[in-house]
Every structure is written in structure tokens, then in C-alpha cells.
């Protein structure tokens, strides 16, 4: 619920760094954040460490990466498995010619996950 309100603020705000670590954000919350990121051109750093993102949440977020300006993504302690990380990788390093959008990510942290 709170992430839905936050996503509305992200759409109209010009912040560069957003730290949401240790907030019990689940997959649903990350989906709202991802939706907002798709239209936010200023956010460069997002910290979602120590939440409940999981594999489904990271895939939902990864789908928006080609559409946003994120450069650093912190995902420590989120119950992300190797499968989730591999699915996320498909959006960061697309192989298919039709997926040519540039992803600007410079750093992703996945420590203390199941990868």
C-alpha cells in the first residue's frame, strides 16, 4: 500500500537517490516501484536491501531497467535465488535484436541472497 503512494511521488519527483532498505517491501511493492521507475528519468541509485523482494519482485523490477535511469541497485538480503538473478540478467544484457534498449546499470549488489 505504501509503495503505491511512493510510486506516485517517484513519477513527479526529481530525486537521484532513494534508500528503502529494511522496510519489508515485498514483490507487490517492488512492482509499484518498478512502474514508477519506468517514467522517472532522474533516479540513479535505489537501495532495496534487507526487504522481501524475492525472485518475482526482481524480475518485475528488471523489466523496467531499460526504461529508467538507474545506475546502482542494492539488493542485499532479499531472498533472491540464482534463478531470479539469471532472469534479471536477461533484461540487463539482452541477447535478442528486438531488445536493444540501453540499460545504464553500473552496479548491482546481491550479497546475502541465495545466488
Amino acid at each position: 500500500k505504501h509503495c503505491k503512494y511512493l510510486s506516485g511521488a517517484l513519477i513527479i519527483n526529481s530525486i537521484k537517490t532513494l534508500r528503502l532498505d529494511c522496510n519489508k517491501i515485498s514483490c507487490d511493492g517492488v512492482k509499484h516501484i518498478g512502474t514508477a521507475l519506468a517514467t522517472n528519468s532522474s533516479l540513479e541509485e535505489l537501495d532495496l536491501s534487507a526487504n522481501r523482494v524475492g525472485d518475482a519482485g526482481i524480475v518485475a523490477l528488471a523489466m523496467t531497467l531499460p526504461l529508467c535511469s538507474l545506475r546502482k541497485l542494492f539488493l542485499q538480503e532479499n531472498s533472491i535465488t540464482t534463478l531470479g538473478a539469471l532472469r534479471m540478467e536477461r533484461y540487463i544484457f539482452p541477447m535478442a535484436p528486438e531488445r536493444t534498449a540501453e540499460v545504464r546499470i553500473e552496479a548491482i549488489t546481491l550479497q546475502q541472497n541465495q545466488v
Side-chain angles (χ1 to χ4, degrees):
K1 177 180 173 183
H2 295 96
C3 285
K4 186 175 182 179
Y5 299 125
L6 175 65
S7 68
L10 275 174
I11 291 171
I12 58 172
N13 203 317
S14 60
I15 61 173
K16 295 210 179 276
T17 301
L18 182 59
R19 303 212 185 282
L20 296 172
D21 53 314
C22 304
N23 276 294
K24 301 179 184 175
I25 298 171
S26 67
C27 174
D28 289 337
V30 171
K31 287 179 183 177
H32 288 296
I33 293 169
T35 300
L37 286 177
T39 59
N40 179 297
S41 60
S42 63
L43 192 67
E44 295 179 356
E45 189 173 311
L46 178 60
D47 187 350
L48 291 170
S49 300
N51 281 293
R52 300 175 182 164
V53 173
D55 288 347
I58 194 58
V59 171
L61 185 62
M63 291 186 329
T64 66
L65 293 179
L67 306 172
C68 70
S69 57
L70 273 185
R71 296 197 180 274
K72 295 180 182 178
L73 181 58
F74 301 95
L75 296 166
Q76 303 93 297
E77 297 181 64
N78 269 294
S79 300
I80 298 167
T81 68
T82 301
L83 182 61
L86 289 172
R87 288 181 178 163
M88 177 180 62
E89 180 186 37
R90 290 183 198 161
Y91 292 94
I92 297 172
F93 304 109
M95 300 297 280
E98 67 273 7
R99 298 174 77 192
T100 57
E102 179 184 343
V103 177
R104 297 168 186 88
I105 293 286
E106 296 169 357
I108 297 175
T109 59
L110 290 169
Q111 293 96 333
Q112 297 178 326
N113 282 292
Q114 301 162 15
V115 289

